[in-house]
Structure formats: C-alpha cells, structure tokens
C-alpha cells in the first residue's frame, strides 16, 4: 500500500479501520457503475480506480481551460487561469458531481438498469441519455443553470457506465460509440433475450468469458450486451452478469461477470480493462462538453460553470411610499459597484432586483447587463403603502430561487413580514444555496407607534394596534442562520450603512470571523490574518460601550475613543465599520467588546483561498462510496466531513490539519482531523496545477447544538491559515429525502415521492410544501405519525399548466418539523418543464459531389465538396458554423451548378468580406435562384438560417472549397432544438462521420498502479 493511501486510514485510527472492514463485509454494497467518488477507492481497496467524480471533474476542468484559451479576451498564463476559476466554479462542478453520484444513491435510480446500461436495456438507456441532453439544453437556454448542471450530471453517469458495463471495450473498440447520442450514426444491434452472451467463469478475474460473437471486431457481426445485476430484472440463462462480490446474479449461469468499474478483481471481474473503459468514458464526457459549449456558445458555457464569476448583486426592495431614502441608497451603491467592475476581468456577474409591497411581489428583474440593471434601478419608485407588515419573505424566496448559489442578498425594508409562514422554506433555500441574507432595516423595533409617527412624518399609515417589539425576530434568525447581518439603522444613515454592500460582494471575499454575543460583560474574540489576506474589514452590529483591538505584536488600540495605528473606525447608526490599516500584520488579532445588548462580529478580507464543505455517510445500499447528506445532519451520530479548499496557487505548499466545529459564540465544540482524499495514483494523473484540494475528516458524533465550520492549516511560509464558514448548521433528529426528481410536462400532473426518517422517539410531524411557480395542488401542512426509528413515505402533487414554458425550473421546497421539539429538516428539488415529446434527433449532412485533384505540391490546386444539410427531427435547421478549415463555406437554397461546387478558387480577403456582407434573410425567390447565398469562414459567428428554410424538413446545400494545403474541415450544424451535428470533411474522401477518437490533449492520462493482491487475499479470507 502506498504511503499516501495509508495515511487516509491511519488518520482515523484503528476504529476507523474496522469500520471500513465492517462496511465491506456486512453491508452488502452492490457495485453498479464506475465507483461514485474518492472514498469508494478506500472502501474497495482499489486506490488507482478512476471514479465518476474524477472523470467528471477532469473533463469539466479541461474543457473549461480549453474554452478560456480559445477566448479572444483571455490573457494570462495557464497557472493563473486555474487559480482564478473561483469558489463558484468549484461549487458548480460539485453540483454536477453530486448529481452524477446520486444516480447510485437515490432509491428511484440506483437499482433501475436503464440508468446504468445494465441488463441489456441499451435502447431504453440511449433514449434516456438523449432526453437528458435535451433537458440540459432547455435549462441552459432558459438560464436555469442549476437545473442544467443536475441533468448534465445524470447524463454523464449513464454515459460513463456504458463503457464500464457493456462489452464495447471487449469488442476491441477504441473510439466512443457515437450512436448513443446521435441516432443517425451507425448502430450495433443488442443481443436478443434468448441469445447467450457469456460462458461460465469460476474465478474473481474473468478472462475470455464473453462468447466469441460478443468480442467480434467485424462490424457486420457485432452484438452489444451488458451485465445483469442482482435479482431485477431476472437474469436469463447464458447471459452475462455485472459481477463482483456484491452482485447476487453472479451465481446464476453464466457465472462470473464483465464489469470494469474498478481495478479490484473482487468488485470487477474485467478489472484488467478498467483503464480502457475509463479512457473511453473520459473521451465521451469531453465530447458532450464540447458539443454543449459549441451549441450554447463560449460565454454561456462559462456562465454554466460559474467560471470567473464575480458575486451577484441581489437587492430585495420594499417599494412602499416610506422607502425613498432606502431606494436612493441602493441605487447609489449599485452605481458605485458597477463603476468599480467596469474594467475588472472576469464574467460580469448577475444583477437581480425583487421589489415587494403589500400585496404585490415582483416581478423579478434579472440581467447580466449592468447598464440595463442601472436603468431599471433608476426607474424604481417608492409609492403607495398600507398596514405595517409586508410580503418580505415572498420576495426573498424569489431572490433565492433566481440568484446563483453563494450569493449575498440585501433586503431593504422598514416593515415586518406579513408572510411569516414562508420562513422555513426561505431558510431551506438559503441553506441549500449557501447564500447569505442581510437586512438593512430603517426601523427601530423599540419605538412605539406614536413615537414613530412623530419621528417620521412621511411614514405610511400603520396598524392601529400596538406593534410587537419582536416582530423583526424572524429577520434576525434568518440572517444569523445564513451568515448575514441584521442592521437597525435610520433614514439619515442608510446611505453610509449601505457601504456594507460594496464591502461584502467584492470578488474573492473570505470570512475570518463570524460570531454573535449576548454577554453583558466584556467578550473576547480573535481572528487570524495570513499572508494571502488583504484589505481586512470588520463589521459590528449593535451598540458598543467599549471595543479594544489588539495586534499580533500585542499593540492595542481603543477603537471608540481615539484614532490609532492599527485601524480606522466609521460609526453609523446600527453598524460599526472598522478597516485595518496597511500593512496588515499577519498573525492572530484580538477583539474585546462590551455592550448591554446583542452584538454580531463579522471579519472579512480579500483572498482567493477559501473552502466549501458537506457532510456525508457511507452508503449502505447500492454502491460503495460516500453519500452526501441532504439537508441538516443527524445529531449524535457519526458522519464524514468533506471539504474542498479552493484558490490555492499551483505552487502553493499550503497544508490543512483540522477543521473546528464552532458554536454560535465562537467556542470550539469539536476538532476534526483532516486527511487528503487523493492517493498518489490519482494525484499524478490529475492536472498538475489543479487548484482544489479535497479533504476528509471523521466525526464520531455530530454535535447536538448549532455550529459553523472553521478550517485551520498553514501557508507556504509556515504561518497559520484560518477560514470560517458563516452559515450555521442545525443538527436534528429527522430527515427528509426526495426519492425522485421527475420532469414536468405542460398540461399534466406529476407526483414527487419523499421519505421521512425519524431518528428520535415516536411522535407527530408536520410537513409543508412550497414552490415558486404555484404548481403545487396542496401546500399543507400535512400531519402524520412516525414510529420510533421509523419512516413515513408520502408524496406531493403538482400540476403544470398547459402554458408552462419549456426549460423553466420549478423549485420545490419540503420542510418537516416535529410538533413536540425543535427538530426540523428540509429538502429542495429542482423540477424542469419539458415538452411532451422533445426533438432529440440531430441534423444530418450527406455528400452530394466531391472534386479533389490535389497534386504533390498543395499550393497549386484546391479541392471542394458539396453537401446536403437537413434536419432529421421536427425542429428544422437553425444555424451553421465552420469550426475548422482554412477554406470558404458557401450556402445555397438549391443545388448549386457543378462549376460553382468544383474547382472554385478561394477569393481574396476583400472579396470574402463583400460576400459575407451579402448574407440574405429568406424570401420566395430563394427557392428558385441559387445565386442567393452566404459565405462563411472559420472564426465567423454561427449563421442563423431559420429564415432560409420554410419547413422543418427543407434542406440546404453547402459547398466547401479550400486549398489542397488545408486538407480537413469541420462544419457544425444545429437544429432549433439545439441538437448538434459535426460534419467532418477531408480532401481525400467523402464526408466522414465524426472521428470517435476525440482529442483529449490536456485531459490527463489515466494510469494504473499494481493490483493489491495482498489486500484482496486478506478480504477474501474474511468473506469466505
């Protein structure tokens, strides 16, 4: 065993070692695909296996880097590119990986052979793959990027499983199977149910157990098969099994199996072909990503993965008549932020505005155009008003639904919530998206109704009855749980207080301290500044009586009484803003404060080094691996803590020793030792400058009180490095799991199944459902009894109206709460509206004529080819682009004369531009006059041809002419549904089908270390 691999196990001690063996021996974990994630290699003792997680992450990283290199606006070296991909990129990739792995963990998908290309369900699996592709395109075009990442992860899982579960590799295939996603490509028939495919195998390693026809390299006699798994569907005699020690069907003739999921012979009978299967799975994943990028465009592709995304600017604005100053302050801050971003690199980010009053909420205004956003802000008016409560939570719900993950949402209001029933749903969305909510309240809850009237004569008419002093408590709870702030200020100070917006959403902000205090005595807190942190700012809400700041060199400065050398303080009503003066000394800083009320401390700085985390448990169902805990973790039980450290420079030698679970007051509840999740074999095949490090720690018992997570390590200079997550984790004793995420079809009803798991005594629970589109037939609350350690299965019903827009996402939030205790939990599901019968057939291109007389000296002649381009589906042709080739592509409405398609000389550059300027836009005479044409060259934007064709079946004629020195070209053709066809052209032969050996340069070679026979023998002795 390698030293790096041993350290993973040794870090958890002897108890963890036996825990792993217990899971391996007793939990009966069937293996139904490439292993899902990094921990699967530990559980199967196959350290060099390539997992779904690894294949997916590497493919996304490589296509992202390829896209950035191809971008005309991109500058900088390769190392800088990777470091600056950002925390949001890591989160976006994590969502794809999570969706991929969930196919092995969700009860609705883990045992269904269609999702894994098992049991010879190849045709059904291909249909599902094409549906995932169509759904992904719909979501991207609707800018529903989270939904797109979800369906993309599902697509990747099934696509990758094909190469591991079928006999494609055993047939000697070295190219990807194009027919999976392109129906017009040649297909290989699937073996019929009564056709034997395997012979008996009585050892863990099965060589040559496929019948000869299943390994035939001759195309006209090939048959596809895939292994049967477990007991459903029943395996016919003579068929292949999936195989491995967890597959019960391996005992049914023909015994053995053919899966290539890992390098372990105990889990994969064809382990010796794992490298070949993983290589093809990687190539297929890269191919899908390139097709997606070329279909939606480079800019949209980068937005899909949140590459270089600056934080979103999200305002939730009360627009009643008393809010003039607040709207003016928000408008000023927006203008200042947009001005500072004007010349900064990276994507422009998202701008979101949700107005609300009573009873109206919205509409949501969302754009990535800063000028349009500013224009909309200028048009925002403070009008009307009514009684004191307003529909604030409804507006926050919309903001959370439409904003990207990791956003900070700023709420401007002076009214309490009228829709408090939405608090649980809003809290669930904030936790799921890891977004902060900060309230800027221009109302003091201690003022009486009469004093408020004297203080603000312009105030709208309020309720006649007395107002509760704790009517803003839900705002404070939401900001506290999400990691935001609640600031009570005044109209005269709102302009200055709103500087917190600019402080918080600048790029690469990290949190060094976030605590709350209710101590009447002097409270003491500390935070650490490392060498990578710049521009440190402290925000303190509440009323301070005394505040002392102490530097690492023990120099102190009373902040309230006088200026000093350490920091400068700005004092506003409800907020203290403290900026450490440069140069900021690295080390531990101390902050002592005294107040007679509640204080919140938040310390932020500029640094690229940050982290993301989640909790996980070892699955005990269908696959060895770590299953991510959805919602809040269960209190008092063991769990894994998985962290991803982002923003490390490629040559950064930072190390991270442990995580600390911190209580609400900043006290340490538990330390968790961390170990790297990567073994040497996987690290060596990764991109050498990948800027994300994954760490894993073992919690013997999840705390029973709310906590946040802190990360501790050392930078390259040996200085301590600390980061803190701001959201509070609320451990509980109840779980809710969404069992499936169905598609929504306009005009149809849909059921979403869920399970409630009670980890406490028998009791009553209440469940509430909510969605952002009003599709739920009943929101609840539903009440039901669940036995001690028992479960309850239920469902909620939605009806999608006939007017439902294809590609739209419906965000479904389920919250469950015990009626006799604070125990509560949540689940969030994203449901996509799809057409009843989506077009999944890409266009086609067929050769009409070829003219090639290329001599040995290529400069002396040219070659040409004429193609007929048409759409095989119902959508019709949409666009064409010359992706590769140095020649000229000419489009016609009717077959061109032979003299135009053969030997056409390449025009000079001025004539080429003149011809491109002649691009026409449809008309009756286009179908009778071939001289109406357009010319395209490499580098031109896709040419929209929707107006060139009257019907979905009408073809176009294309002629390509190039010098014999440029012997290859590639034409991209799209239909209106977004399906893509790559037409490969060469001078020496007719139009070729797309080359299956997709270029994988930079993808990293997949290598294997030796098989650990010693451990296999040891485990075998335990089993038998």
């Amino acid at each position: 065993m390698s030293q790096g691999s041993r350290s993973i196990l040794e870090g958890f001690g002897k108890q963890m070692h036996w825990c792993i063996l217990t899971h391996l021996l007793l939990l009966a974990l069937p293996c139904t695909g490439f292993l899902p994630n990094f921990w699967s290699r530990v559980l199967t003792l196959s350290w060099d296996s390539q997992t779904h997680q690894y294949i997916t992450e590497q493919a996304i990283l490589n296509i992202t880097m390829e896209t950035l290199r191809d971008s005309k606006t991109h500058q900088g070296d390769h190392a800088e590119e990777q470091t600056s991909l950002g925390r949001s990129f890591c989160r976006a990739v994590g969502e794809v990986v999570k969706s991929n792995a969930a196919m092995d963990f969700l009860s609705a998908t883990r045992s269904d052979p269609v999702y894994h290309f098992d049991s010879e369900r190849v045709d059904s699996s291909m249909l599902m793959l094409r549906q995932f592709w169509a759904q992904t395109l719909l979501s991207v075009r609707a800018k529903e990027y989270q939904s797109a990442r979800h369906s993309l992860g599902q697509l990747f899982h099934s696509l990758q499983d094909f190469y591991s579960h079928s006999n494609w590799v055993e047939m000697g295939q070295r190219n990807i199977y194009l027919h999976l996603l392109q129906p017009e490509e040649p297909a290989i028939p699937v073996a019929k149910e009564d056709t034997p495919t395997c012979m008996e195998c009585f050892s863990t390693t099965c060589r040559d157990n496929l019948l000869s026809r299943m390994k035939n390299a001759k195309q006209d006699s090939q048959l596809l098969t895939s292994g049967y798994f477990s007991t459903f569907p029943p395996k016919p005699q003579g068929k292949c099994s999936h195989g491995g020690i967890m597959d019960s069907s391996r005992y049914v003739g023909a015994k053995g199996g053919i899966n290539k999921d890992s390098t372990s012979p105990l889990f994969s009978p064809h382990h010796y072909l794992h490298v070949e299967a993983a290589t093809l799975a990687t190539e297929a994943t890269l191919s899908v990503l390139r097709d997606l990028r070329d279909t939606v465009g480079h800019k949209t592709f980068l937005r899909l993965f949140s590459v270089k995304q600056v934080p979103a600017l999200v305002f939730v604005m009360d627009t009643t008549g008393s809010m003039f100053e607040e709207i003016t302050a928000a408008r000023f801050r927006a203008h200042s932020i947009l001005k500072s971003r004007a010349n900064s690199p990276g994507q422009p980010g998202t701008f979101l505005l949700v107005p609300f009053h009573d009873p109206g909420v919205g509409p949501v205004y969302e754009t990535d155009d800063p000028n349009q956003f500013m224009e909309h802000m200028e048009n925002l008016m403070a009008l009307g008003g009514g009684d004191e409560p307003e529909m604030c939570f409804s507006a926050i719900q919309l903001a959370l639904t439409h904003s990207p993950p990791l956003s900070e949402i700023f709420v401007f209001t002076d009214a309490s919530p009228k829709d408090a029933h939405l608090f649980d749903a809003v809290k669930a969305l904030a936790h799921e998206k890891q977004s902060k909510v900060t309230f800027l309240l221009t109302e003091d809850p201690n003022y009486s109704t009469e004093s408020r009237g004297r203080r603000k004569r312009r105030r709208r008419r309020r309720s006649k009855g007395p107002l509760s002093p704790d009517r803003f408590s839900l705002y404070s709870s939401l900001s506290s749980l999400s990691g935001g702030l609640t600031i009570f200020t005044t109209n005269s100070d709102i302009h200055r207080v709103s500087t917190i917006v600019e402080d918080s959403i600048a790029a690469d902000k990290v949190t060094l301290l976030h605590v709350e205090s209710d101590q009447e005595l002097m409270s003491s807190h500390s935070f650490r500044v490392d060498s990578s942190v710049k521009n440190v700012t402290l925000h303190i809400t509440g009323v301070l009586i005394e505040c002392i700041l102490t530097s690492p060199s023990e120099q102190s400065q009373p902040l309230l009484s006088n200026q000093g050398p350490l920091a400068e303080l700005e004092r506003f009503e409800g907020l203290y803003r403290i900026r450490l003066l440069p140069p900021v000394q690295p080390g531990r800083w101390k902050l002592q404060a005294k107040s007679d009320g509640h204080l919140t401390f938040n310390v932020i700085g500029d640094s690229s080094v940050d982290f993301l985390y989640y909790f996980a448990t070892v699955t005990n169902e269908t696959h060895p691996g770590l299953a991510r805990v959805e919602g809040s973790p269960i209190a008092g039980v063991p769990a894994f803590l998985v962290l991803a450290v982002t923003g490390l420079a490629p040559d950064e030698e930072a190390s991270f020793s442990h995580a600390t679970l911190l209580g609400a007051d900043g006290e340490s509840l538990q330390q968790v030792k961390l170990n790297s999740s990567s073994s040497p074999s996987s690290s060596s095949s990764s991109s050498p400058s990948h800027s994300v490090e994954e760490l894993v720690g073992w919690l013997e018992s999840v705390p029973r009180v709310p906590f946040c997570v802190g990360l501790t390590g050392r930078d390259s200079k040996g200085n301590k490095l600390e980061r803190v997550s701001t959201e509070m984790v609320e451990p509980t004793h109840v779980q809710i799991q969404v069992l499936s995420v169905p598609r929504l079809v306009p005009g149809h009803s849909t059921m979403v199944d869920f399970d409630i798991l009670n980890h406490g005594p028998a009791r009553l629970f209440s469940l509430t459902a909510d969605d952002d589109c009003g599709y739920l037939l009943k929101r609840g609350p539903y009440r039901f009894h669940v036995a001690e350690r028992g479960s309850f299965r239920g469902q909620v019903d939605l009806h999608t109206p006939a007017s439902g827009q294809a590609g739209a996402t419906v965000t479904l939030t389920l919250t469950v709460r015990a009626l006799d205790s604070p125990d509560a939990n949540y689940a969030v599901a994203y449901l996509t509206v799809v057409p009843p019968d989506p077009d999944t057939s890409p266009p086609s291109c067929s050769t009409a004529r070829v003219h090639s007389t290329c001599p040995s000296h290529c400069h002396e002649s040219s070659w040409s080819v004429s193609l007929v381009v048409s759409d095989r589906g119902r959508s019709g042709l949409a666009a064409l682009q010359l992706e590769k080739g140095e020649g000229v592509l000419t489009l016609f409405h009717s077959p061109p004369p032979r003299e135009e398609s053969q030997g056409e000389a390449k025009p000079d550059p001025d004539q080429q531009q003149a011809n491109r300027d002649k691009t026409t836009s449809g008309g009756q005479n286009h179908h009778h006059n071939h001289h109406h044409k357009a010319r395209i060259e490499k580098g031109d934007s896709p040419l929209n041809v929707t107006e060139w064709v009257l019907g979905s079946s009408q073809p176009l004629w294309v002629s390509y002419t190039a010098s014999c020195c440029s012997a290859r070209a590639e034409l991209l053709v799209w239909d209106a549904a977004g399906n893509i066809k790559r037409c490969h052209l060469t001078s020496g032969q007719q139009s070729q089908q797309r080359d299956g050996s997709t270029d994988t340069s930079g993808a990293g070679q997949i290598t294997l270390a030796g098989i650990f026979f010693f451990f296999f023998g040891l485990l075998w002795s335990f089993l038998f």
Side-chain angles (χ1 to χ4, degrees):
M1 183 189 299
S2 65
Q3 183 177 357
S5 300
R6 281 199 306 268
S7 67
I8 300 176
L9 297 178
E10 292 170 356
F12 302 122
K14 190 173 182 180
Q15 181 180 3
M16 192 59 231
H17 173 77
W18 285 106
C19 174
I20 294 172
L21 284 180
T22 300
H23 279 289
L24 282 172
L25 300 175
L26 302 179
L27 288 180
L29 303 175
C31 197
T32 60
F34 280 113
L35 302 176
N37 50 39
F38 67 90
W39 196 248
S40 308
R41 296 194 300 261
V42 178
L43 294 176
T44 60
L45 301 179
S46 56
W47 314 109
D48 48 2
S49 293
Q50 302 306 308
T51 64
H52 280 296
Q53 176 183 353
Y54 176 80
I55 293 170
T56 301
E57 287 177 345
Q58 289 300 303
I60 294 175
L61 176 64
N62 281 298
I63 299 301
T64 299
M65 301 310 303
E66 181 182 291
T67 304
L68 287 172
R69 286 193 297 268
D70 291 344
S71 174
K72 295 179 181 179
T73 59
H74 181 69
Q75 295 179 350
D77 61 37
H78 185 66
E80 290 177 352
E81 293 169 8
Q82 292 221 38
T83 304
S84 61
L85 289 178
R87 184 168 176 249
S88 295
F89 172 77
C90 182
R91 157 86 192 208
V93 175
E95 289 179 9
V96 180
V97 170
K98 168 187 168 183
S99 174
N100 186 325
M103 298 280 274
D104 284 329
F105 300 144
L106 291 176
S107 61
T109 57
R110 63 193 177 206
S111 300
D112 189 337
V114 174
Y115 290 97
H116 308 282
F117 276 93
D118 286 334
S119 308
E120 298 184 321
R121 300 301 195 265
V122 176
D123 291 336
S124 298
S125 297
M126 283 193 295
L127 177 62
M128 186 200 61
L129 274 185
R130 295 164 190 170
Q131 290 175 343
F132 284 147
W133 168 259
Q135 184 175 334
T136 300
L137 284 181
L138 283 171
S139 296
V140 172
R141 287 177 164 182
K143 297 184 178 181
E144 299 285 2
Y145 298 125
Q146 271 195 285
S147 295
R149 293 190 287 265
H150 177 77
S151 55
L152 191 61
Q154 292 177 309
L155 187 158
F156 286 159
H157 185 100
S158 299
L159 180 67
Q160 293 159 5
D161 272 358
F162 170 79
Y163 298 97
S164 174
H165 294 179
S166 74
N167 62 325
W168 183 260
V169 173
E170 287 83 350
M171 286 193 293
Q173 300 284 358
R174 293 298 176 261
N175 298 325
I176 62 176
Y177 188 27
L178 297 178
H179 183 69
L180 292 177
L181 283 165
Q182 300 181 35
E184 81 286 358
E185 296 290 347
I188 296 176
V190 181
K192 295 181 180 179
E193 187 174 352
D194 58 354
T195 301
T197 56
C198 268
M199 63 182 72
E200 302 284 359
C201 171
F202 299 99
S203 64
T204 55
T205 298
C206 293
R207 297 182 185 272
D208 299 323
N209 61 325
L210 279 162
L211 296 178
S212 58
R213 191 178 180 187
M214 299 298 114
K215 300 182 293 180
N216 201 325
K218 295 181 179 180
Q219 188 170 355
D220 57 348
S221 59
Q222 290 177 329
L223 284 178
L224 273 175
T225 187
S226 62
Y228 284 73
F229 178 77
S230 191
T231 59
F232 179 82
K235 172 186 167 184
Q237 284 290 327
K239 290 293 187 181
C240 301
S241 286
H242 180 85
I245 61 175
M246 302 307 178
D247 176 18
S248 60
S249 79
R250 76 187 192 279
Y251 296 117
V252 180
K255 297 180 176 64
I258 63 170
N259 91 72
K260 298 161 282 293
D261 295 340
S262 71
T263 57
S264 166
L266 289 180
F267 291 88
S268 301
H270 282 200
H271 60 91
Y272 52 90
L273 294 175
H274 172 77
V275 174
E276 288 83 351
T279 299
L280 288 174
T282 300
E283 290 181 1
T285 306
L286 290 166
S287 175
V288 168
L289 287 167
R290 287 193 179 98
D291 284 351
L292 181 62
R293 177 195 61 193
D294 292 338
T295 298
V296 303
H298 285 47
K299 180 180 178 181
T300 300
F301 181 84
L302 295 177
R303 287 185 68 86
L304 170 63
F305 291 108
S306 299
V307 177
K308 297 177 176 286
Q309 286 289 329
V310 295
L313 178 59
V314 186
F315 285 154
V316 175
M317 294 294 310
D318 184 343
T319 58
T320 45
S322 60
M323 294 295 295
F324 176 79
E325 286 90 348
E326 292 87 339
I327 292 174
T328 303
R331 189 181 293 144
F332 175 79
R333 290 303 160 195
H335 183 269
S336 178
I337 291 168
L338 299 184
K339 184 178 180 180
S340 66
R341 289 184 180 181
N343 298 317
S344 62
Q347 299 293 319
T350 297
F351 305 97
L352 197 73
L353 174 65
V354 185
F356 73 94
H357 47 89
D358 182 19
V361 177
V364 178
Y365 182 75
E366 181 179 0
T367 182
D368 58 3
D369 186 323
N371 295 323
Q372 290 183 7
F373 181 76
M374 203 62 231
E375 182 180 346
H376 200 79
M377 288 292 297
E378 293 292 345
N379 294 331
L380 201 63
M381 302 293 291
L383 298 171
D387 57 353
E388 198 271 351
E390 307 291 356
M391 305 293 285
C392 186
F393 281 130
S394 298
I396 298 173
Q397 181 185 34
L398 286 176
L400 285 165
T401 299
H402 287 82
S403 60
L406 305 177
S407 294
E408 183 154 3
I409 295 166
F410 296 93
V411 184
F412 292 78
T413 186
D414 60 0
S416 58
K418 195 172 190 175
D419 44 6
H421 64 280
L422 290 176
F423 175 77
D424 284 341
V426 169
K427 183 177 74 171
L429 286 171
H431 276 312
E432 196 279 330
K433 288 203 167 186
Q434 295 178 287
S435 291
K436 305 175 187 178
V437 183
T438 290
F439 293 88
L440 291 87
L441 302 173
T442 47
E443 178 67 284
D444 189 328
N446 297 317
Y447 282 112
S448 66
T449 306
E450 292 77 12
S451 65
R452 258 196 325 277
R454 294 192 299 269
R455 180 167 168 261
K456 295 186 178 181
R457 297 181 181 275
R458 64 177 182 82
R459 284 262 177 224
R460 58 194 151 190
R461 177 174 55 84
R462 297 292 190 181
S463 301
K464 294 182 179 180
L467 297 174
S468 171
D470 64 350
R471 64 190 182 276
F472 298 111
S473 61
L474 290 181
Y475 293 163
S476 299
S477 296
L478 181 60
S479 66
S480 176
L481 292 169
S482 67
L485 299 171
T486 297
I487 305 169
F488 291 97
T489 187
T490 63
N491 288 319
S492 58
D493 267 12
I494 187 63
H495 282 266
R496 295 190 296 165
V497 167
S498 63
T499 56
I500 193 172
V501 178
E502 292 187 64
D503 290 343
S504 302
I505 69 165
D508 293 329
K509 284 295 180 184
V510 298
T511 303
L512 307 178
L513 174 71
H514 187 88
V515 296
E516 299 184 18
S517 176
D518 289 306
Q519 299 180 22
E520 294 184 3
L521 301 176
M522 184 79 77
S523 63
S524 180
H525 307 282
S526 64
F527 60 93
R528 185 174 292 276
V529 176
D530 59 84
S531 57
S532 71
V533 178
K534 312 296 180 185
N535 301 323
V536 179
T537 304
L538 292 73
H539 296 127
I540 304 175
T541 66
V543 179
L544 287 170
I545 297 175
E546 185 178 359
C547 188
I548 301 172
L549 179 68
T550 304
S551 71
S553 60
E554 299 300 325
Q555 185 178 11
S556 296
Q557 176 184 341
L559 294 174
L560 299 183
S561 57
N562 61 303
Q563 294 182 346
L566 301 180
E568 62 179 15
L569 178 143
E570 294 178 272
R571 183 173 185 172
F572 315 128
E573 182 71 29
L575 177 70
Y576 299 85
R577 181 176 183 266
I578 304 164
R579 186 176 68 89
L580 299 191
L581 296 175
V584 178
Q585 184 180 351
R588 183 167 296 280
W589 291 71
K590 298 177 184 177
L591 191 67
Q592 295 173 288
K594 185 177 182 180
S595 172
D596 58 0
H598 183 84
L599 293 176
T600 302
F601 303 86
N602 191 61
V603 182
I604 57 178
D606 295 347
S607 173
S608 63
V609 181
D610 208 346
F611 74 100
L612 297 164
Y613 72 92
Y614 63 88
F615 294 93
T617 58
V618 176
T619 178
N620 61 355
E621 294 293 342
T622 65
H623 217 104
L626 286 185
R628 185 188 299 246
V629 173
E630 299 298 334
S632 299
I634 302 303
V637 302
F640 285 91
L641 175 63
V642 183
L643 299 95
V645 182
T646 64
L648 292 172
D651 56 351
E652 182 72 40
E653 295 295 334
S655 60
F656 301 91
S657 57
H658 65 274
T660 305
L661 308 187
L662 303 167
D665 293 332
E667 74 278 15
S668 175
L669 302 176
Q670 185 177 340
Q671 277 199 359
V672 183
K673 185 178 179 181
L674 299 175
N675 291 273
S676 173
S677 69
S678 301
S679 65
S681 59
S682 63
S683 297
S684 63
S685 56
S686 301
S687 177
S689 55
H690 192 12
S691 58
V692 176
E693 180 178 359
E694 194 166 48
L695 306 167
V696 61
W698 169 252
L699 282 73
E700 292 186 359
S701 178
V702 174
R704 299 178 184 272
V705 297
F707 62 89
C708 65
V709 179
L711 175 65
T712 300
R714 291 188 180 274
D715 62 20
S716 57
K717 298 179 181 178
N719 299 317
K720 271 196 172 183
L721 183 154
E722 292 181 356
R723 297 291 184 270
V724 179
S725 68
T726 55
E727 69 274 6
M728 296 298 293
V729 179
E730 296 183 290
T732 182
H733 293 90
V734 61
Q735 280 180 289
I736 179 168
Q737 299 175 346
V738 175
L739 303 181
S740 63
V741 183
R743 301 177 180 89
L744 304 180
V745 179
H748 292 73
S749 295
T750 307
M751 295 183 299
V752 177
D753 297 320
F754 62 86
D755 270 348
I756 304 293
L757 307 177
N758 179 18
H759 294 263
R763 48 191 167 162
L764 283 172
F765 287 92
S766 172
L767 179 121
T768 303
D770 203 274
D771 75 290
D772 61 327
C773 295
Y775 289 0
L776 274 166
L777 297 180
K778 184 181 178 182
R779 286 175 164 76
Y782 304 87
R783 290 193 176 189
F784 44 86
H785 184 271
V786 184
E788 181 178 359
R789 306 292 176 181
S791 64
F792 172 84
R793 177 161 296 184
Q795 63 185 38
V796 292
D797 300 311
L798 302 94
H799 181 78
T800 308
S803 58
Q805 185 67 37
T809 294
V810 177
T811 303
L812 174 66
T813 307
L814 303 176
T815 55
V816 61
R817 183 175 294 277
L819 297 184
D820 64 345
S821 74
D823 282 335
N825 216 327
Y826 66 89
V828 179
Y830 300 97
L831 312 176
T832 302
V833 180
V834 300
D837 186 19
D839 178 6
T840 59
S841 298
S844 66
C845 51
S846 57
T847 304
R849 291 193 295 264
V850 178
H851 179 75
S852 178
T853 57
C854 290
S856 57
H857 299 289
C858 61
H859 296 282
E860 299 177 0
S861 187
S862 63
W863 64 280
S864 65
V865 59
S866 295
L867 305 172
V868 179
V869 179
S870 60
D871 184 30
R872 300 171 61 94
R874 303 176 303 276
S875 304
L877 296 173
L880 290 87
Q881 184 180 32
L882 186 62
E883 176 75 0
K884 299 176 182 178
E886 302 303 322
V888 176
L889 194 72
T890 309
L891 275 66
F892 300 90
H893 287 86
S894 58
R898 183 172 296 270
E899 61 271 15
E900 288 204 38
S901 62
Q902 296 182 4
E904 184 174 19
K906 183 175 181 179
D908 61 69
D910 293 337
Q911 184 61 38
Q912 292 177 29
Q913 182 61 47
N915 287 332
R916 285 198 297 273
D917 294 341
K918 293 180 184 178
T919 301
T920 55
S921 60
Q924 295 293 330
N925 61 335
H926 291 171
H927 304 280
H928 305 287
N929 188 342
H930 66 266
H931 292 294
H932 290 272
K933 58 190 178 183
R935 299 197 180 196
I936 309 172
E937 294 184 24
K938 185 180 71 172
D940 291 346
S941 300
L943 176 64
N944 186 340
V945 296
T946 53
E947 296 183 0
W948 287 51
V949 290
L950 294 181
S952 61
S953 61
Q954 181 180 343
L956 288 176
W957 281 262
V958 177
S959 176
Y960 177 76
T961 302
S963 165
C964 288
C965 297
S966 177
R968 295 181 179 274
E970 182 180 69
L971 169 65
L972 306 185
V973 185
W974 292 275
D975 66 12
N979 299 302
I980 185 175
K981 171 65 179 178
R982 293 180 183 269
C983 305
H984 284 246
L985 313 174
T986 65
S987 61
Q989 57 184 328
Q990 294 191 0
S991 174
Q992 293 183 330
Q993 301 296 345
R994 177 178 174 180
D995 184 4
S997 57
T998 307
D999 178 23
T1000 57
S1001 59
Q1005 296 298 316
I1006 302 176
T1007 60
L1008 284 173
I1011 299 174
F1012 305 112
F1013 289 105
F1014 172 78
F1015 292 97
F1016 296 150
L1018 177 63
L1019 186 56
W1020 189 264
S1021 66
F1022 275 98
L1023 287 168
F1024 303 102

